[in-house]
Amino acid sequence: MHLYTFGGLLAALASVQPSLGANFTYNDTDFLLNGEPFKIIGGQMDAQRVPWQEWDSRLAFARAMGLNTISTYVYWNQIEDQPGQYITNGSNNFAAYAEKAQDAGLQVVLRVGPYICGEHEWGGFPAWLNNIDNMTVRSNNPQFLERTQSWLNWLGDWLDPLMINNGGPIIMVQVENEYGFYDSDHTYTSALAAQFESAFTGGAILYTNDGPDALEAGAIPNILAETDGSTIDGPKARAKDGMKGPNMDGEYYITWLDQWGQPHQSIVGNTERIASIQADLAAALDNNTSFSLYMFNGGTNFGFQNGADWGNSTLPITTSYDYGAPLDESGRPTDIYYALREALGNYTSDLPDVPDIDPMINISSIDVKPAFYLFDALPTPQTMDTPVNMEQLNQWYGFTLYRYNVSDSVSGLLTPGVAAKDRIIVYVNGERQGVIDSLYPAGEQQNVTLDLKAGDTLDLLSENLGRINFGSLITSQTKGVIGDVKVSDTVLSGWDVYTLPLESGLDKPSGASAPGNVSSADSPIFYTGTFDVSTPGDTFLELPGWTKGVIWVNGNNLGRFWTIGPQQSYFLPGAWLEKTKNTILILNLEPSGSEGTVNGVTNRTWAVQPDPDAP
Ligand SMILES: *[C@@H]1O[C@H](CO)[C@@H](O)[C@H](O)[C@H]1NC(C)=O
Ligand SMILES: *[C@@H]1O[C@H](CO)[C@@H](O)[C@H](O)[C@H]1NC(C)=O
Ligand SMILES: *[C@@H]1O[C@H](CO)[C@@H](O)[C@H](O)[C@H]1NC(C)=O
Ligand SMILES: *[C@@H]1O[C@H](CO)[C@@H](O)[C@H](O)[C@H]1NC(C)=O
Ligand SMILES: *[C@@H]1O[C@H](CO)[C@@H](O)[C@H](O)[C@H]1NC(C)=O
Ligand SMILES: *[C@@H]1O[C@H](CO)[C@@H](O)[C@H](O)[C@H]1NC(C)=O
Ligand SMILES: *[C@@H]1O[C@H](CO)[C@@H](O)[C@H](O)[C@H]1NC(C)=O
Ligand SMILES: *[C@@H]1O[C@H](CO)[C@@H](O)[C@H](O)[C@H]1NC(C)=O
Ligand SMILES: *[C@@H]1O[C@H](CO)[C@@H](O)[C@H](O)[C@H]1NC(C)=O
Ligand SMILES: *[C@@H]1O[C@H](CO)[C@@H](O)[C@H](O)[C@H]1NC(C)=O
Ligand SMILES: *[C@@H]1O[C@H](CO)[C@@H](O)[C@H](O)[C@H]1NC(C)=O
Ligand SMILES: *[C@@H]1O[C@H](CO)[C@@H](O)[C@H](O)[C@H]1NC(C)=O
């Protein structure tokens, strides 16, 4: 049990260690922690986007910037990976995350959703929802609400000891996310809110978060309705719509996200913009408006956990979710961090010193060599007349290979199903013929023309680039080949289908021979190598001259790399390294023979580069 004294407003604004039996409530103007006014000086850092070994360090940086609260999304798909089976270790361990936040002197806002957008794989939904008949996500649909209920009950039970009334740091739990941008079915949101009320009983305040223009559409009776975006427009909209309770900007944007092929978003060095953020935040606090910075630390879309936006084509999110945040992707403070610390320090009586962090490390010339062809390491296929989508194969992420034995000659334009999902590399007898990429709008994608002879093998390697996380298309997000594959007007029937989730890569099959002279006709090749470091530490891997693929170090999936940028450097956490015998595995999707040396560097490069596979 801790004892607290409140010596006036300044101390009340400071972060306080929550005590057993604490409470968090609100009246018309203020949040009240144990009955005393409390302004949420928050920032977001998603537990699942940060290696758990680095949580402590980054939470200490949050507190030392003047934050008293950390917000985090909860990605349902990563925890309930199979229906009714829950993975709670590693960076999924929200109980440990909340305890560490509490130890660091931070309250916690849990953004549960279960739809949370977040530029995350399908906005946080598990891909297996696609396999349930009549499923309509984000709607008053019995199939959907049955799954949200069991998920929320499980989550609520798990985190109950960490809720404010039970001595934990969790003060708020978010219901849905920006629903007002999507629809306005209050039957659905009320049903969902009722599930939250019965699942989360530890005294955390339930709230919604909507754009100021969509506040009423997203608000739920008897649930605190908050806004995101602007610290000025939000309170204005709340006042206009007669919303009760204190103001909070649930997402104050420092910068913005990065999408593959689009310019890098950053305000590092932009002193004017940084000064305006300082002023915004000070003005908000002076007006008793709470906020949470989106992001305080963005982190990384490790593995295949990135989402995608949709324009007239797929806009997949990069592996880095740096987000131009005050604490960069590697957990190091930027100029924005120091500027915000200066501004927010004015609202805290006990600002800790900025913590130390070990320097990034360089690793020069990691020796990687072609080890085996992907096509020599395929699992046992399923055979079917017509290709089925990835989810029907009980596969959620990664790649699916569709193989066809040609028995009758056929030639003409290839149509790989009703739409390229999401990026299909086409091979005949193991030689690359072209790439049909949904990065380009339908009608502008590469036209791959084939001339198939009896005895040829046609391969379609389909990559799931990340399910769409925002907008009306989230209703159904199936991947792989969907619908008939045709060459000219001939439907190809009779396929061997191989699932390649590649969560931790693939082992070299015994007897597989190493590729010789690598050329641009080659099918995908796994490269391997080992390396030592004098002191394990964080680094960014660079792969100059490589086109596209995936990197694993010691079995950890670092995510996708892609020459088109803007990301050219890939975060490798020091926590994943040993001093000796580190193993690196790289899936080189598009070998060329001009791959450069792989290096670990301390400073990242951002650059948009031409797409070698542009139509
Ligand atoms: C809310 O509570 C605080 C702290 O007791 C108080 O200063 C404030 O006036 C209250 N607001 C309203 C509208 O009652
Ligand atoms: C919250 O805690 C304060 C301080 O201990 C106490 O005075 C108040 O009654 C509590 N409020 C609720 C709603 O439990
Ligand atoms: C989590 O547990 C699984 C199953 O025991 C194990 O394979 C995996 O390595 C663990 N992950 C972490 C990060 O500890
Ligand atoms: C799905 O919807 C159809 C048409 O409304 C209905 O006939 C069928 O019984 C439903 N299936 C399930 C599993 O609810
Ligand atoms: C300050 O808060 C009030 C009360 O909620 C709100 O009406 C007003 O728009 C806010 N002003 C600014 C500048 O944010
Ligand atoms: C902010 O809240 C405090 C405590 O409730 C109150 O005294 C003060 O008048 C409020 N300021 C504004 C601008 O609303
Ligand atoms: C989609 O295409 C239309 C018509 O070319 C264009 O006006 C619009 O800006 C495009 N939208 C996006 C998001 O690219
Ligand atoms: C913090 O407060 C001091 C003293 O009022 C003021 O001079 C300074 O500008 C404030 N810092 C920021 C970043 O607003
Ligand atoms: C890493 O390499 C760069 C470029 O050669 C050099 O400037 C920097 O000092 C090195 N950093 C460390 C920590 O070795
Ligand atoms: C593909 O063919 C269609 C139909 O002939 C044509 O309109 C389109 O421009 C072609 N696309 C490319 C990238 O050449
Ligand atoms: C394709 O040919 C391979 C090699 O002969 C054979 O193992 C496989 O069963 C054939 N697949 C189909 C769908 O006919
Ligand atoms: C790396 O970044 C740091 C911090 O921004 C900077 O001081 C240093 O000069 C950079 N080093 C190189 C080699 O670019």
Side-chain angles (χ1 to χ4, degrees), residues 48-49 73-78 111-127 129 137-138 144 151 174 176-177 188 294 301 304-309 317 397 466-471 473-475 477:
Q48 289 154 296
R49 275 180 167 138
Y73 282 135
V74 180
Y75 301 124
W76 178 13
N77 70 308
Q78 284 179 274
R111 309 187 65 191
V112 172
Y115 168 79
I116 44 68
C117 183
E119 290 77 53
H120 182 82
E121 158 69 24
W122 204 12
F125 289 140
L129 291 177
V137 298
R138 298 189 85 186
F144 180 63
W151 159 241
Q174 187 184 320
E176 251 282 346
N177 187 45
Y188 156 58
Y294 195 93
N301 292 313
F304 302 117
Q305 291 299 320
N306 66 282
D309 289 316
I317 310 302
Y397 319 114
R467 291 184 182 78
I468 291 179
N469 50 253
F470 186 81
L473 285 183
I474 68 153
T475 318
Q477 276 298 303

Side-chain angles (χ1 to χ4, degrees), residues 254-272:
I254 301 282
T255 314
W256 204 240
L257 52 110
D258 281 322
Q259 297 159 331
W260 287 115
Q262 305 297 318
H264 174 51
Q265 306 284 333
S266 171
I267 58 161
V268 168
N270 182 342
T271 47
E272 206 175 308

